[in-house]
Amino acid sequence: MKDPIHVLMIEDKKGGSWSAQCLEYDIATQAKGLTALLAEVRRVLNAHIELSKKLNMEPFANLKSAPPVFWKMFYLATTSVQPVSSVETLTNNAPVEGRVAELQLCH
């Protein structure tokens, strides 16, 4: 089994949108709701995998990991979505583990 791809998901309650940040690879995406975000994560990761296959490249080979602040937020997140039900595994059979973090802003 392949190593999981970890995804941090954050809701912008004021703006009404969600953001996702992959940790192993610095890939991010946004959507209007959590369900749409999960589908978007799957779409973006699978598109990268499929394009890499067409170019005869290893998927994600040229991408750095996300900045440390996102890793910290992921491991401090209190809500875990494992496996992410609408993402589950990618076309390369890598499982996806997601966590939802509460964004706390200082005013």
Side-chain angles (χ1 to χ4, degrees):
M1 183 161 131
K2 295 193 179 257
D3 292 332
I5 295 174
H6 298 89
V7 179
L8 174 68
M9 295 169 278
I10 303 169
E11 180 183 14
D12 176 0
K13 292 180 182 178
K14 191 173 185 179
S17 63
W18 284 80
S19 297
Q21 173 68 53
C22 296
L23 301 181
E24 287 79 8
Y25 316 106
D26 194 7
I27 298 173
T29 191
Q30 294 181 317
K32 287 291 183 187
L34 182 57
T35 302
L37 183 67
L38 296 173
E40 185 64 10
V41 167
R42 182 182 181 110
R43 186 194 69 75
V44 169
L45 293 175
N46 279 329
H48 197 288
I49 291 166
E50 293 304 315
L51 181 60
S52 296
K53 284 180 185 177
K54 286 181 182 178
L55 297 174
N56 240 2
M57 297 173 57
E58 183 69 27
F60 314 113
N62 296 324
L63 296 176
K64 295 180 181 178
S65 65
V69 65
F70 294 110
W71 287 87
K72 183 176 180 181
M73 289 173 69
F74 181 85
Y75 287 108
L76 293 175
T78 55
T79 305
S80 181
V81 185
Q82 183 181 2
V84 178
S85 60
S86 70
V87 177
E88 295 170 357
T89 59
L90 302 173
T91 56
N92 70 347
N93 294 319
V96 177
E97 176 189 341
R99 292 187 187 178
V100 178
E102 290 289 324
L103 186 59
Q104 297 178 3
L105 301 175
C106 298
H107 297 287

Short mmCIF file of all heavy atoms in Angstrom, two decimals, residues 37-86:
data_model
loop_
_atom_site.label_atom_id
_atom_site.label_comp_id
_atom_site.label_asym_id
_atom_site.label_seq_id
_atom_site.Cartn_x
_atom_site.Cartn_y
_atom_site.Cartn_z
N LEU A 37 -15.07 20.60 -1.78
CA LEU A 37 -13.61 20.64 -1.57
C LEU A 37 -13.01 19.25 -1.68
O LEU A 37 -11.96 19.07 -2.31
CB LEU A 37 -13.29 21.24 -0.20
CG LEU A 37 -11.80 21.40 0.10
CD1 LEU A 37 -11.18 22.46 -0.81
CD2 LEU A 37 -11.60 21.77 1.56
N LEU A 38 -13.65 18.25 -1.11
CA LEU A 38 -13.15 16.88 -1.20
C LEU A 38 -13.08 16.43 -2.65
O LEU A 38 -12.11 15.80 -3.08
CB LEU A 38 -14.03 15.94 -0.38
CG LEU A 38 -14.04 16.20 1.13
CD1 LEU A 38 -15.07 15.32 1.81
CD2 LEU A 38 -12.68 16.03 1.74
N ALA A 39 -14.11 16.77 -3.41
CA ALA A 39 -14.11 16.42 -4.84
C ALA A 39 -13.01 17.17 -5.58
O ALA A 39 -12.35 16.62 -6.46
CB ALA A 39 -15.47 16.74 -5.45
N GLU A 40 -12.78 18.42 -5.22
CA GLU A 40 -11.74 19.22 -5.86
C GLU A 40 -10.35 18.69 -5.53
O GLU A 40 -9.47 18.65 -6.40
CB GLU A 40 -11.88 20.69 -5.44
CG GLU A 40 -10.95 21.64 -6.12
CD GLU A 40 -11.14 21.77 -7.62
OE1 GLU A 40 -12.13 21.26 -8.18
OE2 GLU A 40 -10.26 22.38 -8.26
N VAL A 41 -10.14 18.26 -4.30
CA VAL A 41 -8.85 17.66 -3.93
C VAL A 41 -8.59 16.44 -4.79
O VAL A 41 -7.50 16.28 -5.36
CB VAL A 41 -8.82 17.29 -2.42
CG1 VAL A 41 -7.64 16.39 -2.10
CG2 VAL A 41 -8.79 18.54 -1.56
N ARG A 42 -9.58 15.60 -4.90
CA ARG A 42 -9.44 14.39 -5.72
C ARG A 42 -9.14 14.75 -7.18
O ARG A 42 -8.27 14.18 -7.81
CB ARG A 42 -10.69 13.53 -5.63
CG ARG A 42 -10.57 12.25 -6.44
CD ARG A 42 -11.86 11.42 -6.37
NE ARG A 42 -11.68 10.21 -7.13
CZ ARG A 42 -11.60 9.01 -6.61
NH1 ARG A 42 -11.67 8.83 -5.32
NH2 ARG A 42 -11.43 7.95 -7.38
N ARG A 43 -9.88 15.73 -7.72
CA ARG A 43 -9.70 16.14 -9.10
C ARG A 43 -8.29 16.66 -9.36
O ARG A 43 -7.62 16.25 -10.31
CB ARG A 43 -10.73 17.21 -9.48
CG ARG A 43 -10.70 17.59 -10.96
CD ARG A 43 -11.47 18.87 -11.24
NE ARG A 43 -10.82 20.04 -10.70
CZ ARG A 43 -9.73 20.62 -11.22
NH1 ARG A 43 -9.14 20.12 -12.28
NH2 ARG A 43 -9.21 21.70 -10.65
N VAL A 44 -7.81 17.54 -8.49
CA VAL A 44 -6.49 18.14 -8.67
C VAL A 44 -5.38 17.10 -8.56
O VAL A 44 -4.47 17.05 -9.40
CB VAL A 44 -6.28 19.29 -7.66
CG1 VAL A 44 -4.84 19.76 -7.64
CG2 VAL A 44 -7.20 20.45 -7.97
N LEU A 45 -5.45 16.24 -7.56
CA LEU A 45 -4.40 15.22 -7.38
C LEU A 45 -4.42 14.21 -8.53
O LEU A 45 -3.36 13.84 -9.06
CB LEU A 45 -4.55 14.54 -6.03
CG LEU A 45 -4.29 15.42 -4.81
CD1 LEU A 45 -4.58 14.65 -3.53
CD2 LEU A 45 -2.88 15.97 -4.81
N ASN A 46 -5.61 13.76 -8.91
CA ASN A 46 -5.69 12.80 -10.02
C ASN A 46 -5.24 13.42 -11.34
O ASN A 46 -4.60 12.75 -12.15
CB ASN A 46 -7.10 12.22 -10.14
CG ASN A 46 -7.34 11.10 -9.16
OD1 ASN A 46 -6.43 10.37 -8.78
ND2 ASN A 46 -8.58 10.97 -8.72
N ALA A 47 -5.55 14.69 -11.56
CA ALA A 47 -5.10 15.36 -12.78
C ALA A 47 -3.58 15.40 -12.83
O ALA A 47 -2.97 15.17 -13.88
CB ALA A 47 -5.68 16.77 -12.86
N HIS A 48 -2.96 15.67 -11.69
CA HIS A 48 -1.50 15.70 -11.64
C HIS A 48 -0.92 14.32 -11.92
O HIS A 48 0.06 14.17 -12.67
CB HIS A 48 -1.02 16.19 -10.27
CG HIS A 48 0.40 16.62 -10.26
ND1 HIS A 48 1.44 15.73 -10.34
CD2 HIS A 48 0.96 17.85 -10.22
CE1 HIS A 48 2.58 16.39 -10.32
NE2 HIS A 48 2.32 17.66 -10.26
N ILE A 49 -1.53 13.29 -11.36
CA ILE A 49 -1.07 11.91 -11.57
C ILE A 49 -1.20 11.53 -13.05
O ILE A 49 -0.27 10.99 -13.65
CB ILE A 49 -1.86 10.93 -10.68
CG1 ILE A 49 -1.49 11.15 -9.20
CG2 ILE A 49 -1.61 9.48 -11.10
CD1 ILE A 49 -2.45 10.49 -8.22
N GLU A 50 -2.35 11.82 -13.64
CA GLU A 50 -2.59 11.46 -15.03
C GLU A 50 -1.66 12.22 -15.99
O GLU A 50 -1.13 11.63 -16.94
CB GLU A 50 -4.05 11.69 -15.41
CG GLU A 50 -5.02 10.75 -14.70
CD GLU A 50 -4.70 9.28 -14.93
OE1 GLU A 50 -4.42 8.88 -16.07
OE2 GLU A 50 -4.72 8.51 -13.94
N LEU A 51 -1.44 13.50 -15.74
CA LEU A 51 -0.52 14.28 -16.58
C LEU A 51 0.90 13.73 -16.46
O LEU A 51 1.61 13.62 -17.46
CB LEU A 51 -0.56 15.76 -16.22
CG LEU A 51 0.34 16.67 -17.05
CD1 LEU A 51 -0.03 16.60 -18.52
CD2 LEU A 51 0.26 18.09 -16.54
N SER A 52 1.30 13.37 -15.26
CA SER A 52 2.63 12.80 -15.06
C SER A 52 2.80 11.51 -15.84
O SER A 52 3.85 11.27 -16.44
CB SER A 52 2.88 12.54 -13.57
OG SER A 52 2.90 13.75 -12.86
N LYS A 53 1.76 10.68 -15.85
CA LYS A 53 1.82 9.43 -16.63
C LYS A 53 2.03 9.73 -18.11
O LYS A 53 2.84 9.10 -18.77
CB LYS A 53 0.52 8.63 -16.46
CG LYS A 53 0.41 7.91 -15.14
CD LYS A 53 -0.91 7.16 -15.10
CE LYS A 53 -1.16 6.51 -13.77
NZ LYS A 53 -2.47 5.84 -13.72
N LYS A 54 1.27 10.71 -18.64
CA LYS A 54 1.38 11.06 -20.05
C LYS A 54 2.77 11.60 -20.40
O LYS A 54 3.25 11.42 -21.51
CB LYS A 54 0.32 12.09 -20.42
CG LYS A 54 -1.07 11.52 -20.51
CD LYS A 54 -2.08 12.56 -20.90
CE LYS A 54 -3.48 11.93 -20.92
NZ LYS A 54 -4.51 12.90 -21.23
N LEU A 55 3.40 12.28 -19.44
CA LEU A 55 4.72 12.85 -19.66
C LEU A 55 5.85 11.90 -19.26
O LEU A 55 7.01 12.26 -19.28
CB LEU A 55 4.86 14.17 -18.89
CG LEU A 55 3.91 15.29 -19.31
CD1 LEU A 55 4.04 16.47 -18.38
CD2 LEU A 55 4.16 15.69 -20.75
N ASN A 56 5.46 10.69 -18.87
CA ASN A 56 6.44 9.67 -18.44
C ASN A 56 7.28 10.15 -17.24
O ASN A 56 8.49 9.96 -17.21
CB ASN A 56 7.35 9.29 -19.60
CG ASN A 56 7.26 7.83 -19.91
OD1 ASN A 56 6.50 7.10 -19.30
ND2 ASN A 56 8.06 7.41 -20.86
N MET A 57 6.61 10.78 -16.29
CA MET A 57 7.26 11.31 -15.09
C MET A 57 6.65 10.66 -13.85
O MET A 57 5.51 10.19 -13.89
CB MET A 57 7.07 12.82 -15.00
CG MET A 57 7.70 13.61 -16.13
SD MET A 57 7.28 15.37 -16.05
CE MET A 57 7.85 15.82 -14.43
N GLU A 58 7.40 10.68 -12.79
CA GLU A 58 6.89 10.23 -11.49
C GLU A 58 5.94 11.31 -10.96
O GLU A 58 6.31 12.49 -10.91
CB GLU A 58 8.06 10.01 -10.53
CG GLU A 58 7.66 9.47 -9.18
CD GLU A 58 7.16 8.04 -9.23
OE1 GLU A 58 7.58 7.28 -10.14
OE2 GLU A 58 6.37 7.67 -8.36
N PRO A 59 4.71 10.94 -10.55
CA PRO A 59 3.80 11.95 -10.02
C PRO A 59 4.39 12.70 -8.83
O PRO A 59 5.03 12.10 -7.97
CB PRO A 59 2.58 11.14 -9.59
CG PRO A 59 2.63 9.92 -10.43
CD PRO A 59 4.10 9.63 -10.63
N PHE A 60 4.22 13.99 -8.82
CA PHE A 60 4.63 14.88 -7.74
C PHE A 60 6.14 15.01 -7.58
O PHE A 60 6.61 15.60 -6.61
CB PHE A 60 4.01 14.45 -6.40
CG PHE A 60 2.54 14.13 -6.47
CD1 PHE A 60 2.09 12.84 -6.26
CD2 PHE A 60 1.61 15.11 -6.75
CE1 PHE A 60 0.74 12.53 -6.33
CE2 PHE A 60 0.25 14.82 -6.82
CZ PHE A 60 -0.19 13.53 -6.60
N ALA A 61 6.92 14.45 -8.49
CA ALA A 61 8.38 14.40 -8.33
C ALA A 61 9.03 15.77 -8.20
O ALA A 61 10.03 15.91 -7.50
CB ALA A 61 9.01 13.65 -9.50
N ASN A 62 8.48 16.77 -8.84
CA ASN A 62 9.12 18.09 -8.83
C ASN A 62 8.52 19.05 -7.82
O ASN A 62 8.82 20.24 -7.84
CB ASN A 62 9.05 18.72 -10.23
CG ASN A 62 9.84 17.91 -11.24
OD1 ASN A 62 10.88 17.37 -10.91
ND2 ASN A 62 9.33 17.83 -12.45
N LEU A 63 7.66 18.54 -6.95
CA LEU A 63 6.99 19.41 -5.98
C LEU A 63 7.62 19.28 -4.59
O LEU A 63 7.89 18.18 -4.12
CB LEU A 63 5.50 19.07 -5.89
CG LEU A 63 4.69 19.30 -7.16
CD1 LEU A 63 3.26 18.82 -6.96
CD2 LEU A 63 4.69 20.77 -7.52
N LYS A 64 7.81 20.41 -3.95
CA LYS A 64 8.27 20.42 -2.56
C LYS A 64 7.08 20.15 -1.64
O LYS A 64 5.92 20.24 -2.06
CB LYS A 64 8.87 21.79 -2.22
CG LYS A 64 10.11 22.12 -3.01
CD LYS A 64 10.62 23.47 -2.62
CE LYS A 64 11.86 23.82 -3.44
NZ LYS A 64 12.37 25.14 -3.11
N SER A 65 7.38 19.86 -0.39
CA SER A 65 6.29 19.68 0.57
C SER A 65 5.78 21.05 1.01
O SER A 65 6.42 22.08 0.78
CB SER A 65 6.75 18.86 1.77
OG SER A 65 7.73 19.56 2.49
N ALA A 66 4.62 21.05 1.63
CA ALA A 66 4.02 22.30 2.11
C ALA A 66 4.89 22.91 3.20
O ALA A 66 5.62 22.21 3.90
CB ALA A 66 2.62 22.01 2.65
N PRO A 67 4.79 24.22 3.39
CA PRO A 67 5.54 24.88 4.46
C PRO A 67 5.19 24.29 5.84
O PRO A 67 4.08 23.81 6.05
CB PRO A 67 5.10 26.34 4.36
CG PRO A 67 4.67 26.51 2.94
CD PRO A 67 4.06 25.18 2.57
N PRO A 68 6.13 24.34 6.77
CA PRO A 68 5.94 23.74 8.11
C PRO A 68 4.69 24.20 8.85
O PRO A 68 4.11 23.43 9.60
CB PRO A 68 7.21 24.15 8.86
CG PRO A 68 8.23 24.36 7.80
CD PRO A 68 7.49 24.90 6.62
N VAL A 69 4.25 25.42 8.64
CA VAL A 69 3.07 25.91 9.36
C VAL A 69 1.85 25.04 9.06
O VAL A 69 1.03 24.79 9.95
CB VAL A 69 2.79 27.40 9.03
CG1 VAL A 69 2.41 27.60 7.58
CG2 VAL A 69 1.72 27.95 9.95
N PHE A 70 1.72 24.53 7.84
CA PHE A 70 0.58 23.68 7.49
C PHE A 70 0.68 22.31 8.15
O PHE A 70 -0.32 21.73 8.56
CB PHE A 70 0.44 23.54 5.98
CG PHE A 70 0.09 24.83 5.31
CD1 PHE A 70 1.00 25.49 4.51
CD2 PHE A 70 -1.17 25.41 5.48
CE1 PHE A 70 0.68 26.69 3.89
CE2 PHE A 70 -1.50 26.61 4.87
CZ PHE A 70 -0.57 27.25 4.08
N TRP A 71 1.88 21.77 8.27
CA TRP A 71 2.09 20.48 8.97
C TRP A 71 1.68 20.63 10.43
O TRP A 71 1.00 19.77 10.99
CB TRP A 71 3.54 20.04 8.86
CG TRP A 71 3.92 19.54 7.51
CD1 TRP A 71 4.36 20.29 6.45
CD2 TRP A 71 3.88 18.19 7.05
NE1 TRP A 71 4.60 19.48 5.37
CE2 TRP A 71 4.32 18.19 5.71
CE3 TRP A 71 3.52 16.99 7.65
CZ2 TRP A 71 4.41 17.04 4.95
CZ3 TRP A 71 3.62 15.83 6.89
CH2 TRP A 71 4.06 15.86 5.57
N LYS A 72 2.08 21.73 11.04
CA LYS A 72 1.74 21.96 12.44
C LYS A 72 0.23 22.06 12.62
O LYS A 72 -0.33 21.45 13.53
CB LYS A 72 2.42 23.24 12.94
CG LYS A 72 2.18 23.52 14.40
CD LYS A 72 2.95 24.73 14.87
CE LYS A 72 2.69 24.98 16.35
NZ LYS A 72 3.41 26.17 16.82
N MET A 73 -0.42 22.80 11.74
CA MET A 73 -1.88 22.93 11.82
C MET A 73 -2.56 21.57 11.66
O MET A 73 -3.53 21.27 12.34
CB MET A 73 -2.38 23.89 10.75
CG MET A 73 -2.02 25.34 11.01
SD MET A 73 -2.45 26.43 9.62
CE MET A 73 -4.23 26.37 9.69
N PHE A 74 -2.03 20.74 10.76
CA PHE A 74 -2.60 19.41 10.52
C PHE A 74 -2.53 18.57 11.79
O PHE A 74 -3.52 17.95 12.19
CB PHE A 74 -1.85 18.72 9.38
CG PHE A 74 -2.39 17.36 9.04
CD1 PHE A 74 -3.46 17.22 8.19
CD2 PHE A 74 -1.81 16.22 9.58
CE1 PHE A 74 -3.95 15.96 7.86
CE2 PHE A 74 -2.30 14.96 9.26
CZ PHE A 74 -3.38 14.84 8.40
N TYR A 75 -1.39 18.54 12.44
CA TYR A 75 -1.23 17.69 13.61
C TYR A 75 -1.91 18.24 14.85
O TYR A 75 -2.17 17.50 15.80
CB TYR A 75 0.24 17.36 13.84
CG TYR A 75 0.71 16.37 12.81
CD1 TYR A 75 1.58 16.74 11.79
CD2 TYR A 75 0.24 15.06 12.80
CE1 TYR A 75 1.96 15.83 10.81
CE2 TYR A 75 0.61 14.15 11.83
CZ TYR A 75 1.48 14.54 10.85
OH TYR A 75 1.84 13.64 9.88
N LEU A 76 -2.25 19.54 14.84
CA LEU A 76 -3.00 20.13 15.94
C LEU A 76 -4.51 20.09 15.68
O LEU A 76 -5.30 20.40 16.57
CB LEU A 76 -2.56 21.57 16.18
CG LEU A 76 -1.14 21.75 16.70
CD1 LEU A 76 -0.79 23.23 16.79
CD2 LEU A 76 -0.98 21.07 18.07
N ALA A 77 -4.91 19.72 14.48
CA ALA A 77 -6.34 19.69 14.12
C ALA A 77 -7.07 18.69 15.00
O ALA A 77 -6.58 17.60 15.27
CB ALA A 77 -6.51 19.35 12.65
N THR A 78 -8.26 19.07 15.41
CA THR A 78 -9.03 18.21 16.31
C THR A 78 -10.00 17.30 15.57
O THR A 78 -10.45 16.31 16.11
CB THR A 78 -9.83 19.06 17.31
OG1 THR A 78 -10.65 19.99 16.58
CG2 THR A 78 -8.89 19.84 18.23
N THR A 79 -10.33 17.63 14.35
CA THR A 79 -11.28 16.83 13.58
C THR A 79 -10.53 16.06 12.50
O THR A 79 -9.84 16.64 11.68
CB THR A 79 -12.36 17.71 12.92
OG1 THR A 79 -12.98 18.49 13.93
CG2 THR A 79 -13.39 16.87 12.21
N SER A 80 -10.66 14.75 12.53
CA SER A 80 -9.99 13.90 11.55
C SER A 80 -11.02 13.27 10.63
O SER A 80 -12.06 12.82 11.08
CB SER A 80 -9.19 12.82 12.26
OG SER A 80 -8.51 12.01 11.33
N VAL A 81 -10.73 13.26 9.35
CA VAL A 81 -11.58 12.62 8.36
C VAL A 81 -10.72 11.55 7.71
O VAL A 81 -9.94 11.83 6.83
CB VAL A 81 -12.08 13.63 7.31
CG1 VAL A 81 -13.07 12.99 6.37
CG2 VAL A 81 -12.67 14.86 7.96
N GLN A 82 -10.82 10.31 8.20
CA GLN A 82 -9.89 9.29 7.74
C GLN A 82 -10.60 7.96 7.51
O GLN A 82 -11.16 7.41 8.44
CB GLN A 82 -8.80 9.11 8.80
CG GLN A 82 -7.74 8.14 8.40
CD GLN A 82 -6.70 7.99 9.50
OE1 GLN A 82 -6.80 8.57 10.56
NE2 GLN A 82 -5.72 7.20 9.25
N PRO A 83 -10.62 7.40 6.33
CA PRO A 83 -10.20 8.08 5.10
C PRO A 83 -11.23 9.09 4.67
O PRO A 83 -12.38 9.02 5.09
CB PRO A 83 -10.10 6.94 4.09
CG PRO A 83 -11.12 5.96 4.55
CD PRO A 83 -11.12 6.07 6.07
N VAL A 84 -10.83 10.03 3.85
CA VAL A 84 -11.75 11.04 3.35
C VAL A 84 -12.74 10.32 2.43
O VAL A 84 -12.34 9.78 1.40
CB VAL A 84 -10.99 12.15 2.60
CG1 VAL A 84 -11.95 13.16 2.04
CG2 VAL A 84 -10.00 12.82 3.55
N SER A 85 -14.00 10.29 2.82
CA SER A 85 -14.98 9.42 2.16
C SER A 85 -15.13 9.65 0.66
O SER A 85 -15.24 8.70 -0.09
CB SER A 85 -16.34 9.53 2.84
OG SER A 85 -16.80 10.85 2.78
N SER A 86 -15.14 10.88 0.21
CA SER A 86 -15.32 11.07 -1.23
C SER A 86 -13.99 11.14 -1.97
O SER A 86 -13.96 11.32 -3.17
CB SER A 86 -16.14 12.33 -1.50
OG SER A 86 -15.40 13.47 -1.19
#
